[in-house]
Amino acid sequence: MLPSIDDPTRSDAVGAQLDSEISSLQAQILALKSQRKLQVATILSSRHTKATLTRLRASQRPTPHSESQSVPTDTTPLLAAATAQRAHKQENLYRACAGITTFRVQDPDPNAVDGGKVLGIRIDVSSVGKFIKPYYIMLNKPWPGTELLRVHRHTVPASIPLTALVERYLPSGKGSVAMGEENPGGKKQDLRRFVRALRKEVVGYHNRTSVIKGLRREFKLDEKESKKGKSREKVITDISAADAEAKQVRIEWADGRIGRVVIDEKGEVKQCVIIGEDGRDGETERRVLAGSMEGIGERMREGMY
C-alpha cells in the first residue's frame, strides 16, 4: 500500500521511487531492443538464411503468363536486408583486421610539390563496440632530391600529440635520413613505427574518454533531475577529464572532496590524490589505486554505501 499523498515528504519519496522504476524499465527496453537487433543481424547474415530465402524467392516467382511480374515477392525485403547486413559485416571485418590502411592521392593543384603525389593513411578505431569516424593523415615529399616525408594534412584532433610523434619518428631536420637510405649517423625516418604509435595514442585516448563517459553514466551525472519528486542524493557531483589528452581525471564529491587521477597509456591508475576539508583521504586513494580505470566506479562505491 502506498503512503498517503497528503504528506509532502512521502509524496516526494513515492515520486522518486516511481522515477527509479521507470528508468529501470526504460533501460530494460533499450537492452531488449539492442538484443533483438543483434539477433536479427545474426540471423540475416547466416548462409543458411540466405539459402532459405533464395529457395523461397524461386518458389514465389510468377509464371510467364502472370501480369504481376514487376510486383516484389515477400522475400525481396528480407533478401535486400540480408545482403546489406553481409556487406556491413564484411566492412566491419576489414576495419577490425586492418586498423591501418594506405592509399594514394593525386593533389589537383598544378603547383603541388612532388608532382602532386600524396600518400594517405587511414586509421580505424572502435569505441564502445562501434567504429568511430576514421582519422586521415596525408604525407608528401616537399624537398627535391630527397625522399623525406612530411605531414601535409591530417584530421587528428589536438588531443593527440601528433607533433611529438612526427619529431620522433619522421624527423625532417638537418641530418635526417629517409627510409631505405643508408646513413649510420643520421636520424632515420620510420613510417611504420610512426603509424603504430599514432594509432596507439588514438586508441588510448578513446578508451580513456569512453571510461569517463561510462563513469558519468554509472553515477547518473548526466541524468535530468526528477520533476515529480526528489531523486536520490548524489555522492559524486562531477567526473571529467582534467586535460586535453584525458590522461588526468578530476572527481568531485558532494562533501567537498576533490580528486585527481593520473592514468597511463595502458589504462592503469598511476597516481591519485584526494583532498577534502580534513586533508588527504588515504582510504579512498588506496581503493582508486587498486586497479585499472574500468573498475574504479565499483571500488569507489565500496566506501560509500
Side-chain angles (χ1 to χ4, degrees):
M1 181 177 179
L2 295 175
S4 174
I5 60 175
D6 296 335
D7 189 349
T9 304
R10 293 185 176 181
S11 178
D12 292 343
V14 172
Q17 181 181 358
L18 291 175
D19 287 342
S20 177
E21 293 178 357
I22 292 173
S23 299
S24 177
L25 289 174
Q26 289 176 344
Q28 293 179 19
I29 292 172
L30 290 176
L32 290 173
K33 286 183 177 180
S34 177
Q35 186 177 3
R36 182 187 64 180
K37 186 177 180 181
L38 177 62
Q39 295 294 338
V40 170
T42 303
I43 294 173
L44 288 176
S45 60
S46 172
R47 294 182 179 179
H48 300 286
T49 302
K50 181 183 178 182
T52 303
L53 292 175
T54 302
R55 287 196 301 269
L56 288 174
R57 185 176 185 179
S59 64
Q60 293 178 356
R61 286 179 180 175
T63 61
H65 301 287
S66 176
E67 297 179 356
S68 59
Q69 293 183 5
S70 60
V71 178
T73 61
D74 296 339
T75 57
T76 300
L78 293 175
L79 281 171
T83 302
Q85 177 60 32
R86 284 195 300 274
H88 179 69
K89 183 179 179 180
Q90 186 177 24
E91 180 184 355
N92 288 343
L93 182 62
Y94 287 154
R95 297 178 70 178
C97 296
I100 302 173
T101 53
T102 60
F103 54 92
R104 295 181 180 179
V105 181
Q106 181 63 38
D107 193 337
D109 186 359
N111 299 319
V113 298
D114 195 25
K117 298 177 182 179
V118 178
L119 174 64
I121 299 174
R122 168 173 165 160
I123 297 178
D124 287 295
V125 178
S126 62
S127 179
V128 199
K130 296 181 180 179
F131 283 102
I132 62 176
K133 188 176 180 181
Y135 294 106
Y136 295 93
I137 302 99
M138 304 297 175
L139 305 171
N140 61 6
K141 300 176 182 178
W143 299 284
T146 179
E147 296 294 320
L148 292 174
L149 295 170
R150 182 193 65 175
V151 175
H152 178 53
R153 294 284 188 273
H154 68 87
T155 62
V156 179
S159 54
I160 306 299
L162 179 62
T163 303
L165 295 176
V166 170
E167 292 179 355
R168 181 176 181 180
Y169 297 108
L170 295 178
S172 57
K174 185 178 180 180
S176 300
V177 182
M179 295 183 299
E181 296 182 359
E182 296 294 337
N183 189 349
K187 298 180 180 180
K188 192 173 183 179
Q189 290 190 343
D190 195 332
L191 180 60
R192 190 171 298 179
R193 293 182 63 186
F194 165 74
V195 175
R196 288 178 178 176
L198 178 59
R199 188 176 188 277
K200 182 179 179 181
E201 290 286 345
V202 172
V203 171
Y205 169 74
H206 283 285
N207 287 342
R208 293 190 296 269
T209 54
S210 64
V211 169
I212 293 174
K213 292 178 181 178
L215 288 174
R216 293 188 63 86
R217 289 193 301 268
E218 188 175 350
F219 289 99
K220 304 183 185 302
L221 299 181
D222 296 326
E223 291 186 358
K224 295 182 180 180
E225 295 183 358
S226 172
K227 295 182 181 180
K228 297 181 181 179
K230 294 182 180 179
S231 58
R232 183 178 182 180
E233 184 178 356
K234 295 180 178 179
V235 180
I236 292 180
T237 58
D238 186 43
I239 299 176
S240 59
D243 62 336
E245 299 180 18
K247 291 185 177 180
Q248 296 186 19
V249 181
R250 177 184 173 90
I251 305 175
E252 298 182 12
W253 279 262
D255 58 6
R257 288 178 295 168
I258 298 177
R260 182 70 64 90
V261 180
V262 180
I263 313 169
D264 61 11
E265 297 178 353
K266 298 181 180 179
E268 299 291 331
V269 179
K270 188 176 181 181
Q271 296 178 355
C272 176
V273 176
I274 301 174
I275 300 178
E277 296 181 356
D278 300 329
R280 294 186 62 172
D281 185 353
E283 182 179 355
T284 307
E285 288 180 2
R286 287 190 292 270
R287 288 197 182 95
V288 173
L289 289 169
S292 63
M293 278 295 295
E294 294 182 355
I296 190 174
E298 182 178 354
R299 297 197 302 273
M300 287 193 298
R301 285 200 305 273
E302 291 178 357
M304 296 177 185
Y305 310 117

PDB file of all heavy atoms in Angstrom, residues 2 9 20 30 36 72-73 91 99 136 148 158 176 185 189 221 234 241 264 269 277 279 282 286 298:
ATOM      1  N   LEU A   2       0.580   2.148  -0.886  1.00  0.00           N
ATOM      2  CA  LEU A   2       1.380   3.363  -0.982  1.00  0.00           C
ATOM      3  C   LEU A   2       1.010   4.319   0.136  1.00  0.00           C
ATOM      4  O   LEU A   2      -0.160   4.392   0.559  1.00  0.00           O
ATOM      5  CB  LEU A   2       1.154   4.031  -2.332  1.00  0.00           C
ATOM      6  CG  LEU A   2       1.628   3.253  -3.557  1.00  0.00           C
ATOM      7  CD1 LEU A   2       1.220   3.977  -4.822  1.00  0.00           C
ATOM      8  CD2 LEU A   2       3.126   3.048  -3.508  1.00  0.00           C
ATOM      9  N   THR A   9       6.594  14.899   2.186  1.00  0.00           N
ATOM     10  CA  THR A   9       7.813  14.099   2.232  1.00  0.00           C
ATOM     11  C   THR A   9       7.583  12.717   1.637  1.00  0.00           C
ATOM     12  O   THR A   9       8.377  12.225   0.827  1.00  0.00           O
ATOM     13  CB  THR A   9       8.317  13.964   3.678  1.00  0.00           C
ATOM     14  OG1 THR A   9       8.497  15.258   4.233  1.00  0.00           O
ATOM     15  CG2 THR A   9       9.625  13.200   3.726  1.00  0.00           C
ATOM     16  N   SER A  20      12.512   5.972 -10.393  1.00  0.00           N
ATOM     17  CA  SER A  20      13.542   4.936 -10.445  1.00  0.00           C
ATOM     18  C   SER A  20      13.036   3.702 -11.190  1.00  0.00           C
ATOM     19  O   SER A  20      13.762   3.125 -12.002  1.00  0.00           O
ATOM     20  CB  SER A  20      13.973   4.563  -9.025  1.00  0.00           C
ATOM     21  OG  SER A  20      14.914   3.515  -9.043  1.00  0.00           O
ATOM     22  N   LEU A  30      15.549  -0.718 -23.692  1.00  0.00           N
ATOM     23  CA  LEU A  30      16.675  -0.454 -24.592  1.00  0.00           C
ATOM     24  C   LEU A  30      17.562  -1.678 -24.745  1.00  0.00           C
ATOM     25  O   LEU A  30      18.038  -1.984 -25.845  1.00  0.00           O
ATOM     26  CB  LEU A  30      17.485   0.737 -24.064  1.00  0.00           C
ATOM     27  CG  LEU A  30      16.822   2.111 -24.144  1.00  0.00           C
ATOM     28  CD1 LEU A  30      17.702   3.169 -23.491  1.00  0.00           C
ATOM     29  CD2 LEU A  30      16.535   2.491 -25.592  1.00  0.00           C
ATOM     30  N   ARG A  36      17.464  -7.683 -29.596  1.00  0.00           N
ATOM     31  CA  ARG A  36      16.683  -8.092 -30.760  1.00  0.00           C
ATOM     32  C   ARG A  36      17.379  -7.697 -32.059  1.00  0.00           C
ATOM     33  O   ARG A  36      17.430  -8.479 -33.023  1.00  0.00           O
ATOM     34  CB  ARG A  36      15.292  -7.455 -30.708  1.00  0.00           C
ATOM     35  CG  ARG A  36      14.380  -7.863 -31.862  1.00  0.00           C
ATOM     36  CD  ARG A  36      13.095  -7.076 -31.863  1.00  0.00           C
ATOM     37  NE  ARG A  36      13.347  -5.655 -32.097  1.00  0.00           N
ATOM     38  CZ  ARG A  36      12.395  -4.720 -32.159  1.00  0.00           C
ATOM     39  NH1 ARG A  36      11.131  -5.060 -31.974  1.00  0.00           N
ATOM     40  NH2 ARG A  36      12.708  -3.462 -32.369  1.00  0.00           N
ATOM     41  N   PRO A  72       7.127  -7.072 -56.244  1.00  0.00           N
ATOM     42  CA  PRO A  72       8.124  -7.789 -55.454  1.00  0.00           C
ATOM     43  C   PRO A  72       7.494  -8.895 -54.622  1.00  0.00           C
ATOM     44  O   PRO A  72       6.355  -8.779 -54.158  1.00  0.00           O
ATOM     45  CB  PRO A  72       8.715  -6.684 -54.559  1.00  0.00           C
ATOM     46  CG  PRO A  72       7.654  -5.634 -54.488  1.00  0.00           C
ATOM     47  CD  PRO A  72       6.951  -5.679 -55.819  1.00  0.00           C
ATOM     48  N   THR A  73       8.235  -9.958 -54.416  1.00  0.00           N
ATOM     49  CA  THR A  73       7.753 -11.078 -53.613  1.00  0.00           C
ATOM     50  C   THR A  73       7.958 -10.785 -52.139  1.00  0.00           C
ATOM     51  O   THR A  73       8.580  -9.797 -51.742  1.00  0.00           O
ATOM     52  CB  THR A  73       8.505 -12.357 -54.011  1.00  0.00           C
ATOM     53  OG1 THR A  73       9.907 -12.150 -53.754  1.00  0.00           O
ATOM     54  CG2 THR A  73       8.306 -12.668 -55.483  1.00  0.00           C
ATOM     55  N   GLU A  91      32.506  -5.165 -44.084  1.00  0.00           N
ATOM     56  CA  GLU A  91      33.214  -3.896 -43.856  1.00  0.00           C
ATOM     57  C   GLU A  91      33.779  -3.836 -42.445  1.00  0.00           C
ATOM     58  O   GLU A  91      34.922  -3.418 -42.237  1.00  0.00           O
ATOM     59  CB  GLU A  91      32.260  -2.725 -44.093  1.00  0.00           C
ATOM     60  CG  GLU A  91      32.907  -1.368 -43.872  1.00  0.00           C
ATOM     61  CD  GLU A  91      31.934  -0.225 -44.026  1.00  0.00           C
ATOM     62  OE1 GLU A  91      30.767  -0.476 -44.401  1.00  0.00           O
ATOM     63  OE2 GLU A  91      32.326   0.929 -43.766  1.00  0.00           O
ATOM     64  N   GLY A  99      43.351  -2.176 -39.085  1.00  0.00           N
ATOM     65  CA  GLY A  99      43.086  -0.876 -38.474  1.00  0.00           C
ATOM     66  C   GLY A  99      43.834   0.260 -39.129  1.00  0.00           C
ATOM     67  O   GLY A  99      43.505   1.433 -38.924  1.00  0.00           O
ATOM     68  N   TYR A 136      42.524  10.541 -40.811  1.00  0.00           N
ATOM     69  CA  TYR A 136      43.334  10.517 -42.031  1.00  0.00           C
ATOM     70  C   TYR A 136      44.578  11.376 -41.849  1.00  0.00           C
ATOM     71  O   TYR A 136      44.523  12.457 -41.251  1.00  0.00           O
ATOM     72  CB  TYR A 136      42.534  11.029 -43.232  1.00  0.00           C
ATOM     73  CG  TYR A 136      41.361  10.149 -43.611  1.00  0.00           C
ATOM     74  CD1 TYR A 136      40.088  10.380 -43.105  1.00  0.00           C
ATOM     75  CD2 TYR A 136      41.538   9.069 -44.474  1.00  0.00           C
ATOM     76  CE1 TYR A 136      39.023   9.560 -43.438  1.00  0.00           C
ATOM     77  CE2 TYR A 136      40.474   8.247 -44.826  1.00  0.00           C
ATOM     78  CZ  TYR A 136      39.221   8.503 -44.303  1.00  0.00           C
ATOM     79  OH  TYR A 136      38.170   7.698 -44.644  1.00  0.00           O
ATOM     80  N   LEU A 148      62.514  12.305 -48.012  1.00  0.00           N
ATOM     81  CA  LEU A 148      61.965  12.575 -46.687  1.00  0.00           C
ATOM     82  C   LEU A 148      60.473  12.891 -46.761  1.00  0.00           C
ATOM     83  O   LEU A 148      60.017  13.620 -47.651  1.00  0.00           O
ATOM     84  CB  LEU A 148      62.705  13.744 -46.041  1.00  0.00           C
ATOM     85  CG  LEU A 148      64.170  13.498 -45.647  1.00  0.00           C
ATOM     86  CD1 LEU A 148      64.803  14.783 -45.154  1.00  0.00           C
ATOM     87  CD2 LEU A 148      64.263  12.411 -44.580  1.00  0.00           C
ATOM     88  N   ALA A 158      43.421  17.714 -31.723  1.00  0.00           N
ATOM     89  CA  ALA A 158      44.516  18.350 -30.985  1.00  0.00           C
ATOM     90  C   ALA A 158      44.869  17.612 -29.711  1.00  0.00           C
ATOM     91  O   ALA A 158      45.955  17.824 -29.145  1.00  0.00           O
ATOM     92  CB  ALA A 158      44.140  19.794 -30.658  1.00  0.00           C
ATOM     93  N   SER A 176      68.642  14.276 -41.100  1.00  0.00           N
ATOM     94  CA  SER A 176      67.598  13.262 -41.184  1.00  0.00           C
ATOM     95  C   SER A 176      67.814  12.385 -42.408  1.00  0.00           C
ATOM     96  O   SER A 176      68.310  12.832 -43.441  1.00  0.00           O
ATOM     97  CB  SER A 176      66.215  13.920 -41.242  1.00  0.00           C
ATOM     98  OG  SER A 176      65.990  14.700 -40.079  1.00  0.00           O
ATOM     99  N   GLY A 185      74.925   7.766 -39.109  1.00  0.00           N
ATOM    100  CA  GLY A 185      74.944   8.866 -38.142  1.00  0.00           C
ATOM    101  C   GLY A 185      73.717   9.736 -38.161  1.00  0.00           C
ATOM    102  O   GLY A 185      73.615  10.651 -37.342  1.00  0.00           O
ATOM    103  N   GLN A 189      63.970   8.189 -40.678  1.00  0.00           N
ATOM    104  CA  GLN A 189      62.531   8.182 -40.597  1.00  0.00           C
ATOM    105  C   GLN A 189      62.004   6.743 -40.568  1.00  0.00           C
ATOM    106  O   GLN A 189      62.550   5.863 -41.226  1.00  0.00           O
ATOM    107  CB  GLN A 189      61.903   8.932 -41.773  1.00  0.00           C
ATOM    108  CG  GLN A 189      62.104  10.427 -41.734  1.00  0.00           C
ATOM    109  CD  GLN A 189      61.265  11.145 -42.785  1.00  0.00           C
ATOM    110  OE1 GLN A 189      60.780  10.545 -43.732  1.00  0.00           O
ATOM    111  NE2 GLN A 189      61.097  12.454 -42.607  1.00  0.00           N
ATOM    112  N   LEU A 221      25.380  11.122 -13.592  1.00  0.00           N
ATOM    113  CA  LEU A 221      25.711  12.546 -13.558  1.00  0.00           C
ATOM    114  C   LEU A 221      25.078  13.313 -14.705  1.00  0.00           C
ATOM    115  O   LEU A 221      24.988  14.547 -14.637  1.00  0.00           O
ATOM    116  CB  LEU A 221      27.237  12.728 -13.609  1.00  0.00           C
ATOM    117  CG  LEU A 221      28.017  12.102 -12.455  1.00  0.00           C
ATOM    118  CD1 LEU A 221      29.506  12.365 -12.608  1.00  0.00           C
ATOM    119  CD2 LEU A 221      27.523  12.637 -11.109  1.00  0.00           C
ATOM    120  N   LYS A 234      23.101  12.574  -4.837  1.00  0.00           N
ATOM    121  CA  LYS A 234      24.327  12.160  -5.498  1.00  0.00           C
ATOM    122  C   LYS A 234      25.505  12.285  -4.553  1.00  0.00           C
ATOM    123  O   LYS A 234      25.688  13.310  -3.896  1.00  0.00           O
ATOM    124  CB  LYS A 234      24.570  13.010  -6.750  1.00  0.00           C
ATOM    125  CG  LYS A 234      23.516  12.817  -7.837  1.00  0.00           C
ATOM    126  CD  LYS A 234      23.822  13.678  -9.047  1.00  0.00           C
ATOM    127  CE  LYS A 234      22.782  13.447 -10.144  1.00  0.00           C
ATOM    128  NZ  LYS A 234      23.038  14.295 -11.333  1.00  0.00           N
ATOM    129  N   ALA A 241      37.427  14.977 -17.636  1.00  0.00           N
ATOM    130  CA  ALA A 241      38.845  14.978 -17.994  1.00  0.00           C
ATOM    131  C   ALA A 241      39.468  16.304 -17.561  1.00  0.00           C
ATOM    132  O   ALA A 241      38.897  17.374 -17.792  1.00  0.00           O
ATOM    133  CB  ALA A 241      39.009  14.772 -19.491  1.00  0.00           C
ATOM    134  N   ASP A 264      47.896   5.921 -17.057  1.00  0.00           N
ATOM    135  CA  ASP A 264      48.983   5.695 -18.001  1.00  0.00           C
ATOM    136  C   ASP A 264      48.419   5.245 -19.347  1.00  0.00           C
ATOM    137  O   ASP A 264      47.207   5.200 -19.568  1.00  0.00           O
ATOM    138  CB  ASP A 264      49.980   4.673 -17.452  1.00  0.00           C
ATOM    139  CG  ASP A 264      49.339   3.316 -17.195  1.00  0.00           C
ATOM    140  OD1 ASP A 264      48.193   3.101 -17.629  1.00  0.00           O
ATOM    141  OD2 ASP A 264      49.985   2.460 -16.572  1.00  0.00           O
ATOM    142  N   VAL A 269      45.602   3.012 -13.352  1.00  0.00           N
ATOM    143  CA  VAL A 269      45.689   4.200 -12.495  1.00  0.00           C
ATOM    144  C   VAL A 269      47.110   4.296 -11.953  1.00  0.00           C
ATOM    145  O   VAL A 269      47.567   3.412 -11.216  1.00  0.00           O
ATOM    146  CB  VAL A 269      44.671   4.120 -11.355  1.00  0.00           C
ATOM    147  CG1 VAL A 269      44.796   5.345 -10.459  1.00  0.00           C
ATOM    148  CG2 VAL A 269      43.255   4.027 -11.915  1.00  0.00           C
ATOM    149  N   GLU A 277      38.210  18.637   3.309  1.00  0.00           N
ATOM    150  CA  GLU A 277      38.373  19.633   4.372  1.00  0.00           C
ATOM    151  C   GLU A 277      39.307  19.161   5.468  1.00  0.00           C
ATOM    152  O   GLU A 277      39.973  19.973   6.122  1.00  0.00           O
ATOM    153  CB  GLU A 277      37.003  19.972   4.953  1.00  0.00           C
ATOM    154  CG  GLU A 277      36.059  20.643   3.964  1.00  0.00           C
ATOM    155  CD  GLU A 277      34.728  20.969   4.595  1.00  0.00           C
ATOM    156  OE1 GLU A 277      34.519  20.598   5.777  1.00  0.00           O
ATOM    157  OE2 GLU A 277      33.888  21.588   3.912  1.00  0.00           O
ATOM    158  N   GLY A 279      41.934  17.198   5.003  1.00  0.00           N
ATOM    159  CA  GLY A 279      43.200  16.768   4.423  1.00  0.00           C
ATOM    160  C   GLY A 279      43.010  15.653   3.410  1.00  0.00           C
ATOM    161  O   GLY A 279      41.928  15.484   2.843  1.00  0.00           O
ATOM    162  N   GLY A 282      43.238   9.051   2.443  1.00  0.00           N
ATOM    163  CA  GLY A 282      44.095   7.928   2.072  1.00  0.00           C
ATOM    164  C   GLY A 282      43.327   6.659   1.766  1.00  0.00           C
ATOM    165  O   GLY A 282      43.723   5.885   0.895  1.00  0.00           O
ATOM    166  N   ARG A 286      43.571   4.626  -1.815  1.00  0.00           N
ATOM    167  CA  ARG A 286      44.006   3.231  -1.961  1.00  0.00           C
ATOM    168  C   ARG A 286      43.002   2.417  -2.777  1.00  0.00           C
ATOM    169  O   ARG A 286      43.394   1.548  -3.563  1.00  0.00           O
ATOM    170  CB  ARG A 286      44.215   2.608  -0.576  1.00  0.00           C
ATOM    171  CG  ARG A 286      45.464   3.099   0.146  1.00  0.00           C
ATOM    172  CD  ARG A 286      45.746   2.277   1.394  1.00  0.00           C
ATOM    173  NE  ARG A 286      44.722   2.506   2.409  1.00  0.00           N
ATOM    174  CZ  ARG A 286      44.800   3.459   3.337  1.00  0.00           C
ATOM    175  NH1 ARG A 286      45.841   4.274   3.363  1.00  0.00           N
ATOM    176  NH2 ARG A 286      43.841   3.601   4.229  1.00  0.00           N
ATOM    177  N   GLU A 298      33.189   0.818  -9.211  1.00  0.00           N
ATOM    178  CA  GLU A 298      32.820  -0.173  -8.205  1.00  0.00           C
ATOM    179  C   GLU A 298      33.677  -0.040  -6.955  1.00  0.00           C
ATOM    180  O   GLU A 298      33.174  -0.178  -5.828  1.00  0.00           O
ATOM    181  CB  GLU A 298      32.963  -1.574  -8.798  1.00  0.00           C
ATOM    182  CG  GLU A 298      32.553  -2.697  -7.862  1.00  0.00           C
ATOM    183  CD  GLU A 298      32.661  -4.061  -8.510  1.00  0.00           C
ATOM    184  OE1 GLU A 298      32.953  -4.111  -9.727  1.00  0.00           O
ATOM    185  OE2 GLU A 298      32.454  -5.066  -7.798  1.00  0.00           O
TER     186      GLU A 298
END
